[in-house]
Every structure is written in C-alpha cells, then in structure tokens.
Amino acid sequence: MDYTLIDGKATAAAIKAEIKQEVEQIVANGGRRPHLAAILVGHDGGSETYVKNKVLACEACGFQSTLIRFEDDIREEELLGTVERLNKDDSVDGFIVQLPLPRHINEQRVIETIDYRKDVDGFHPINVGRMAIGLPCFISATPLGILTLLRRYNVPTSGRKCVILGRSNIVGKPMAQLMMQKQWGDSTVTVCHSRSQTLKKECREADILIAAIGQPGFVTADMVKPGATVIDVGTTRVPDSTRKSGYRLSGDVRFDEVAPLCSFITPVPGGVGPMTICTLMLNTLSAAKKEFYK
Ligand code: GUN
C-alpha cells in the first residue's frame, strides 16, 4: 500500500510562517509582539535542547522571548517567587517551567502556582479540567500537535476506532479526552498501558493508533491493521556512536515494517516532535490575543 508520510517538520514550518504573518499584522496595527518566557532549572540535556528550540521558534514567529535560568540547587520558594513575578508581569503573555524539575522541588505545586491564564503548556488543573469538558483553554503541546496534524492531513477520525498506547498526564490521558470529543476526534477511544492484557488485539483493531509509551520499536507490523493511521510520539534517546551528539531519537514504532501497511504515518524524527514547539507558539499567540481568558 502507498502510505502518506505526515511531515511534522514541514507542517510546523508552515504554521510558524502563518503565525509570523499574523504577528507582523498585529505590530503594523500598533499592537505588541507576543511574549513567551521560559524557566529552565539545571542542565538536563533534553531540557536544554527543548528550551533552546523554543527560543528559536519565538524568533521565527516574531515573538519576544525571555529565558530565566537557575542552578539545580534553587530553593522551591525562590522558584515559586519567580512564577508569581511572571504571573503579575503584564509584558509576559505566557510562560512555561521546563520539566522535569529537581527532586527536591514539588512539581505539582509549581504548576498550580502558574496563573492558568498564562499557562501556555496547559498543565494547570484548570486548563486540564476545562479541556476534559470541552471548554476553551490551553491544550498541551503534544496532543494539540497531533490533532493539528490529523486535521491538516484530513485523516478521517469521526466514528473511527482510536487506540492510545500510554496513560501519561502529558500525552495519553489528554489525547484520549480529545479524540473522544465531538469537536476534535469524535472517535471511539481505547487506552492501553503496560498492564493491558488485550493490548495487541486492541491495536490490531485501531483505525488510528497513537503510540506514546517511550519503548523503542514496541509497535510491530503484526499489531497494525492494514490502512491504519499510525502516530508515533516516542522520542527515546538511544546511544549511536556514528552521530556527533552520540545518540539518535528512536520512536515507539518499527517504521520500516509498519509504514507499508499504513494510510498515514508519522516519522521519528520529523513527525510529532517539531509540532509540539509550534503548538506552544500557537498557544502563546492565543494568550497574547486573550482568546480563551480575558
Ligand atoms: N518537558 C517535556 N515536555 C515538556 C513540555 O511540553 N513542557 C514543559 N514545560 N516541560 C516539558
């Protein structure tokens, strides 16, 4: 079967160009550039890369960006104080605290201190709850990125069976909520995880299979229904001495054997990954326009 490769890199670039155009229009009309701030604690390699890419994406979109860095021995009170300062700063439209945080800091407490109206990550319980009941809110970057790809590629989802592998708060759970909602996926949704006894059988029945478990090569050809759409959210770093960085990104899906079965499939890298930063930019633009909250 001829499959369509869902090109997240090209889609993200196109959306960033659209955002940039809108921002220049806002500025031409006397408005202010959207402003995203990011707090980065410590020197985790993955987090450094994500935050660097977020700053670059801000430049591409014509946004102002501010990066606030702390060492990993920062006290929780100081971090919470910085969050509260950003909450009150009218020049900042939205901000993120890059996760994970050091173990001595209560991550949930930090998330709940962020003003939900500036929570462009969509991690605050108010945004999570509003998302779950279909109210306007910030939807977190990965689920919104996947929904955006499905829409732009006209992947049929309404009434179709969608199987999600993984139940994390950042991907699996919100993805399931959104795929079942009428205004998004309108699908019949099943969530599988490490304890699911019927996992393979469920996967074989899926019209849309979304893999977000972080196990390289977990999804094999015998788990995929011919004609299915496969979305690979995995981005595990595996050692690779032939790369300058010393690693490469590996998805949850064995692309070479699965792709020939598919209608649509996302690659790793270049699929869901690039979309997550672009949807953060969309959320920041929404924050600046006060689209969801006055
Ligand atoms: N760490 C991994 N993904 C994310 C994300 O989307 N936002 C933040 N703040 N931290 C992350």
Side-chain angles (χ1 to χ4, degrees):
M1 198 182 303
D2 260 356
Y3 62 87
T4 300
L5 190 72
I6 297 183
D7 188 339
K9 197 171 167 189
T11 306
I15 291 174
K16 281 187 277 188
E18 290 164 23
I19 296 172
K20 165 95 174 157
Q21 223 173 23
E22 187 172 342
V23 169
E24 295 315 322
Q25 197 62 52
I26 291 170
V27 173
N29 293 338
R32 179 171 64 64
R33 290 185 187 278
H35 182 186
L36 174 70
I39 300 177
L40 173 61
V41 179
H43 301 273
D44 173 76
S47 293
E48 294 258 8
T49 306
Y50 281 129
V51 169
K52 186 184 78 190
N53 288 333
K54 286 168 188 177
V55 170
L56 290 173
C58 283
E59 284 170 19
C61 293
F63 292 1
Q64 185 184 345
S65 71
T66 300
L67 174 57
I68 301 169
R69 298 197 66 137
F70 294 108
E71 289 304 318
D72 52 19
D73 61 357
I74 184 180
R75 283 171 46 247
E76 184 174 298
E77 284 65 34
E78 191 182 353
L79 184 55
L80 293 174
T82 304
V83 168
E84 276 159 5
R85 180 169 66 70
L86 292 175
N87 284 343
K88 289 194 209 104
D89 185 340
D90 288 336
S91 80
V92 172
D93 296 297
F95 65 98
I96 63 152
V97 180
Q98 186 66 30
L99 306 178
L101 291 170
R103 292 232 322 264
H104 68 278
I105 291 176
N106 182 336
E107 216 162 80
Q108 197 58 28
R109 189 160 172 223
V110 172
I111 289 170
E112 292 186 31
T113 304
I114 298 172
D115 185 329
Y116 66 92
R117 293 165 298 189
K118 294 190 177 188
D119 169 39
V120 285
D121 260 335
F123 290 167
H124 192 287
I126 290 181
N127 282 309
V128 176
R130 289 176 64 95
M131 182 273 296
I133 58 176
L135 293 176
C137 66
F138 295 111
I139 294 173
S140 57
T142 305
L144 186 57
I146 294 168
L147 294 166
T148 304
L149 286 176
L150 293 173
R151 283 207 170 161
R152 289 221 169 198
Y153 278 83
N154 291 313
V155 174
T157 59
S158 180
R160 307 304 205 281
K161 179 164 166 113
C162 173
V163 171
I164 294 159
L165 298 182
R167 53 180 160 180
S168 71
N169 288 339
I170 292 187
V171 186
K173 270 182 218 158
M175 207 62 236
Q177 300 276 10
L178 293 160
M179 286 307 287
M180 83 168 81
Q181 280 180 29
K182 197 178 187 102
Q183 72 266 38
W184 289 106
D186 201 23
S187 303
T188 304
V189 177
T190 302
V191 179
C192 294
H193 50 79
S194 54
R195 297 276 172 250
S196 300
Q197 296 192 337
T198 58
L199 187 144
K200 281 206 174 199
K201 172 182 160 289
E202 305 292 344
C203 289
R204 276 195 292 270
E205 292 171 359
D207 299 303
I208 302 121
L209 180 60
I210 302 177
I213 41 175
Q215 282 192 44
F218 182 87
V219 176
T220 48
D222 63 318
M223 292 164 70
V224 175
K225 172 169 145 178
T229 292
V230 174
I231 306 292
D232 190 348
V233 192
T235 50
T236 308
R237 287 182 170 195
V238 298
D240 185 340
S241 57
T242 69
R243 303 291 174 98
K244 201 171 64 185
S245 61
Y247 70 87
R248 66 189 150 81
L249 291 183
S250 175
D252 289 347
V253 177
R254 290 196 198 173
F255 185 90
D256 292 346
E257 62 179 68
V258 168
L261 293 166
C262 293
S263 299
F264 298 89
I265 185 167
T266 62
V268 175
V272 175
M275 289 300 293
T276 63
I277 289 180
C278 136
T279 48
L280 178 67
M281 301 298 123
L282 281 174
N283 278 347
T284 305
L285 180 60
S286 295
K289 289 158 73 181
K290 308 227 180 297
E291 214 162 81
F292 306 133
Y293 305 115
K294 292 286 168 252

